[in-house]
Amino acid sequence: MALVAIVGRPNVGKSTLFNRLTKSRRAIVSEEAGTTRDRQYGKSDWNGKEFSVVDTGGWVVNSDDIFEDAIRRQVIVATEEADLVLFLVDVQNGLTDWDDDVAVILRRSKLPVILVANKVDNNNQQYDAFEFYKLGLGEPVCISAATGSGTGDLLDMVVEKLQNVKEEADIEEGVPRFAVVGRPNVGKSSIINAFIGEERHIVTEIAGTTRDSIYTRYDKFGFDFYLVDTAGIRRKNKVTENLEFYSVMRSIRAIESSDVCILMLDATRGIEAQDLNIFQLIQKNQKSLVVVVNKWDLAEDKSQKAITFFQDAIRNRLAPFTDFPIIFASALTKQRIFKVLETAKEVFLNRKVKIGTTRLNEVMLPLIEATPPPSIKGKYVKIKYCSQLPNTQIPSFVFYANLPQYVKEPYKRFLENKIRENWSLTGSPINIFIRQK
């Protein structure tokens, strides 16, 4: 899937445009520069073309003198990893030195760029956008992200620019796709080398998705899968010191292209905020999960008590989704590397589990009757029937109720937990839908 990055100086409306394109209100919008803190990532669809959107504003550190340098680094990362850049400028504040600096970087890159003049709230302000021709990036597209004016024309142009982007490689359907993801220096390249190292002659590489993802076919020792390999492929520019932004941008591509994500953690550092950001990407894309605690050979305490403590800590940080396998391994010594592949294969098969309607009702209806949804405003919710939806990417279940609008998230989690207790769905996300009886 193509990746579109929104760049620009603080307070030009990047978060507002992100919300408009992704039809969400996840990004916090404020007049205070540098407000965006969450790592903003979403999907947009226009005229049948789906693409991912990243709001780079989340990586600006709010301090007196950091903005210029931070923006420059983010723009460079965006040009390395994205397929298209939306360069946002502010008509009301006019052309600034920062805009000039960003334009220099974008002109040097070979990446398609759309210059977007935001905050054009009336016809007269369209004439104010002419000064942005000086940036040498073509005609500015005039929009108002706040009201939506002009965003249709912008999306038409985005889709047109993305027509030339290579889509996913022609790979065999039904073969699992595993992606190794994690923050920098956690051992992604090492574990990939451990998977395919000495047996490289049985590996077939297929030039893959947009930009430089590679599908590596591995069919040895009873395994047959594609490894979605992004680690170590792209050249790391010396000025991309903002490793957190870099790792998340790269993870987006690998995660979207996979069925199962192998999330690497560092045994010597534990689980950190950057790991949580990547985990959230996995969740948003509804991918299956295997957690690998790498560098276990360096851990001082390898007792069962230490393992249990580590497992509990990881699950607490990743809650409420806790039904996933955790493997303690070492890419360097190849300890439990085979176990990682075995577990990833099992988790992939769990995505394909089909539960018969009769059996599902036999198990779930007595549990629902014993613990019914809480009454709201004196009205009682009754669930009389349930089934698994066919032809879905992940196991999806529908429960038919007389008052579906009163069934809230906590009870949906209860239903999910009961399904997991009775069927092996470890590592796979589950969808729960409540519909009118």
Side-chain angles (χ1 to χ4, degrees):
M1 188 181 299
L3 185 60
V4 176
I6 304 173
V7 304
R9 58 185 176 79
N11 214 25
V12 293
K14 294 189 295 297
S15 294
T16 307
L17 180 59
F18 172 86
N19 289 344
R20 178 71 58 182
L21 296 182
T22 59
K23 300 177 183 177
S24 69
R25 300 190 66 175
R26 287 201 301 269
I28 300 169
V29 179
S30 168
E31 291 299 317
E32 181 183 349
T35 296
T36 305
R37 285 289 172 269
D38 293 336
R39 278 47 182 161
Q40 297 302 334
Y41 157 79
K43 292 184 179 179
S44 182
D45 188 301
W46 187 254
N47 289 340
K49 175 73 174 180
E50 191 178 29
F51 54 92
S52 299
V53 184
V54 177
D55 170 15
T56 64
W59 285 268
V60 174
V61 180
N62 191 11
S63 66
D64 293 337
D65 58 358
I66 198 69
F67 280 140
E68 188 173 352
D69 191 40
I71 293 168
R72 184 179 292 111
R73 291 203 305 268
Q74 288 172 51
V75 172
I76 291 171
V77 172
T79 57
E80 288 183 344
E81 298 301 324
D83 300 297
L84 172 67
V85 170
L86 303 183
F87 177 26
L88 211 58
V89 292
D90 184 344
V91 165
Q92 294 180 5
N93 288 334
L95 189 62
T96 68
D97 291 341
W98 284 352
D99 295 329
D100 281 327
D101 288 346
V102 172
V104 168
I105 298 168
L106 293 176
R107 286 200 304 270
R108 288 173 180 166
S109 77
K110 296 180 181 179
L111 199 65
V113 177
I114 298 177
L115 179 61
V116 184
N118 191 27
K119 304 184 183 179
V120 180
D121 296 324
N122 56 60
N123 290 334
N124 291 332
Q125 287 180 322
Q126 290 187 10
Y127 301 109
D128 297 333
F130 290 158
E131 68 172 323
F132 294 106
Y133 275 100
K134 295 178 183 176
L135 296 175
L137 293 170
E139 181 179 355
V141 181
C142 295
I143 70 162
S144 171
T147 66
S149 172
T151 52
D153 293 336
L154 172 61
L155 282 165
D156 285 340
M157 191 174 294
V158 167
V159 169
E160 182 183 348
K161 295 273 188 183
L162 294 178
Q163 292 300 326
N164 296 326
V165 173
K166 289 187 301 178
E167 290 296 342
E168 201 170 272
D170 184 18
I171 63 173
E172 189 175 328
E173 287 296 318
V175 178
R177 289 177 282 180
F178 302 158
V180 178
V181 296
R183 52 185 166 78
N185 304 319
V186 75
K188 297 188 296 295
S189 295
S190 298
I191 201 167
I192 288 169
N193 289 339
F195 288 158
I196 65 176
E198 294 87 10
E199 304 298 334
R200 192 171 294 274
H201 62 282
I202 53 89
V203 168
T204 306
E205 289 191 350
I206 303 172
T209 56
T210 51
R211 306 297 269 177
D212 288 323
S213 290
I214 298 291
Y215 284 105
T216 304
R217 182 74 176 264
Y218 184 94
D219 54 357
K220 191 82 170 177
F221 309 122
F223 294 109
D224 187 9
F225 64 89
Y226 288 105
L227 192 63
V228 186
D229 180 2
T230 59
I233 294 172
R234 299 303 308 275
R235 177 178 59 84
K236 289 190 179 181
N237 194 304
K238 62 182 179 181
V239 292
T240 55
E241 293 94 347
N242 196 337
L243 289 176
E244 184 171 0
F245 181 43
Y246 190 90
S247 65
V248 172
M249 284 284 285
R250 303 201 72 203
S251 297
I252 289 171
R253 186 85 63 201
I255 290 167
E256 288 182 343
S257 305
S258 69
D259 296 305
V260 179
C261 292
I262 299 170
L263 175 60
M264 303 281 289
L265 303 180
D266 189 331
T268 63
R269 298 179 63 174
I271 188 165
E272 299 180 345
Q274 203 170 155
D275 301 316
L276 295 177
N277 292 330
I278 295 172
F279 170 71
Q280 286 164 5
L281 289 175
I282 295 169
Q283 277 202 310
K284 285 179 182 177
N285 283 279
Q286 293 192 320
K287 304 300 183 180
S288 299
L289 174 67
V290 175
V291 172
V292 176
V293 181
N294 192 30
K295 306 182 184 179
W296 190 240
D297 55 311
L298 301 180
E300 294 181 4
D301 185 0
K302 300 184 180 69
S303 66
Q304 185 59 45
K305 184 177 180 182
I307 290 174
T308 302
F309 177 82
F310 219 123
Q311 288 175 331
D312 291 344
I314 292 170
R315 288 197 162 90
N316 286 337
R317 293 295 298 276
L318 301 186
F321 180 44
T322 59
D323 186 18
F324 53 83
I326 301 174
I327 301 169
F328 294 82
S330 169
L332 189 64
T333 65
K334 299 190 177 180
Q335 180 186 17
R336 298 193 187 90
I337 293 300
F338 199 77
K339 179 69 173 175
V340 173
L341 293 180
E342 282 184 328
T343 305
K345 182 179 178 181
E346 290 171 7
V347 165
F348 172 76
L349 294 175
N350 288 345
R351 288 175 71 88
K352 308 296 182 183
V353 165
K354 303 297 180 187
I355 303 171
T357 302
T358 302
R359 179 61 182 158
L360 186 65
N361 282 271
E362 285 176 355
V363 172
M364 294 302 296
L365 292 185
L367 295 171
I368 293 169
E369 189 174 350
T371 311
S375 61
I376 297 179
K377 300 176 183 177
K379 296 182 178 180
Y380 293 91
V381 180
K382 295 180 181 179
I383 297 174
K384 293 294 187 183
Y385 180 73
C386 56
S387 66
Q388 182 176 358
L389 294 173
N391 305 320
T392 54
Q393 288 293 319
I394 62 172
S396 301
F397 302 90
V398 58
F399 291 80
Y400 293 93
N402 59 332
L403 298 167
Q405 67 273 25
Y406 289 149
V407 180
K408 305 301 181 185
E409 280 304 316
Y411 196 77
K412 288 183 181 180
R413 281 202 294 273
F414 165 78
L415 295 174
E416 177 180 336
N417 290 338
K418 292 303 178 184
I419 290 173
R420 291 186 184 279
E421 286 175 12
N422 287 277
W423 289 276
S424 178
L425 294 166
T426 298
S428 175
I430 292 177
N431 281 330
I432 301 290
F433 301 103
I434 311 295
R435 292 181 181 167
Q436 185 70 45
K437 184 170 62 176

